[in-house]
Amino acid sequence: MTTPVCTSASNGMTRPSPYPSFASYVRARQPVLLRTARSLTANPSDAEDLLQTALTKTYVAWERIEDHRALDGYVRRALLNTRTSQWRKRKVDEFVCDELPEPDPVASADDPAERQALHDAMWRAITKLPARQRAMVVLRYYEDLSEIQTAEVLGVSVGTVKSAVSRALGKLREDPELVLVR
């Protein structure tokens, strides 16, 4: 047969406290001490937990407390020390920094509005190019012709196509509208 761990639960009777003066103190001073605990925390439930912890520490030290007229000061000090310990043990998830650690929002390739805005910005940048460079870029990248085919269509050498397209791409890289896209 096992013996019950908690005798009050097994027979319905409560066990008398070894410190009846502690129980009467808690009944009398609990509202005042709870207000003090609430001033130390933002959450009322945390304040109740804080007071319970401080009262537990007071109960353990009850025999060592010589002047029971100074109990409020003892419990308030226990409240403050407990709250300070909790604050020091907390896990810090946030750090102060000059720049936000979140990456810049990347435009989704699936968003039709973003795709259209990019298309429009690219065409505006291409229209700023000189006519010959614009024609070579369009034939080379929009019509997907090779350098040789582009040279044949325009009647120029392959070297001219290469150098003109290179200069055009350099100008497109420096275009202020397209800088935001990269």
Side-chain angles (χ1 to χ4, degrees):
M1 176 173 183
T2 60
T3 57
V5 175
C6 180
T7 57
S8 63
S10 63
N11 61 12
M13 296 179 60
T14 58
R15 207 171 99 203
S17 171
Y19 306 120
S21 58
F22 177 77
S24 62
Y25 170 75
V26 171
R27 275 193 301 277
R29 300 301 295 166
Q30 185 172 8
V32 174
L33 296 172
L34 187 57
R35 276 196 305 271
T36 304
R38 284 189 179 154
S39 70
L40 294 172
T41 63
N43 186 344
S45 298
D46 291 341
E48 291 173 2
D49 292 342
L50 178 63
L51 178 59
Q52 186 68 34
T53 304
L55 288 175
T56 302
K57 290 178 180 181
T58 304
Y59 181 81
V60 170
W62 191 256
E63 287 181 340
R64 294 189 318 259
I65 300 173
E66 295 174 8
D67 186 9
H68 283 263
R69 292 176 296 183
L71 282 174
D72 282 354
Y74 185 90
V75 175
R76 283 189 181 105
R77 175 50 63 185
L79 283 168
L80 187 60
N81 290 346
T82 303
R83 181 65 184 136
T84 302
S85 295
Q86 290 172 348
W87 180 79
R88 286 180 180 157
K89 290 177 184 176
R90 80 189 192 289
K91 182 179 178 186
V92 178
D93 290 335
E94 297 179 15
F95 301 98
V96 178
C97 58
D98 292 335
E99 294 182 27
L100 293 176
E102 294 91 16
D104 292 333
V106 178
S108 173
D110 298 334
D111 185 10
E114 291 294 329
R115 228 182 352 225
Q116 186 62 44
L118 178 61
H119 183 266
D120 292 345
M122 183 57 92
W123 273 113
R124 281 192 300 275
I126 289 175
T127 58
K128 295 176 191 174
L129 294 174
R132 189 170 178 177
Q133 287 180 355
R134 182 174 53 240
M136 290 183 191
V137 168
V138 169
L139 290 173
R140 183 79 180 90
Y141 295 104
Y142 280 91
E143 297 296 324
D144 203 24
L145 298 179
S146 68
E147 293 169 339
I148 296 171
Q149 293 169 326
T150 303
E152 288 174 4
V153 168
L154 295 176
V156 294
S157 70
V158 175
T160 303
V161 171
K162 287 181 180 182
S163 63
V165 168
S166 176
R167 282 192 303 275
L169 291 178
K171 289 179 182 178
L172 291 174
R173 283 187 198 100
E174 294 173 1
D175 191 283
E177 271 192 276
L178 297 179
V179 170
L180 299 175
V181 176
R182 282 184 254 145

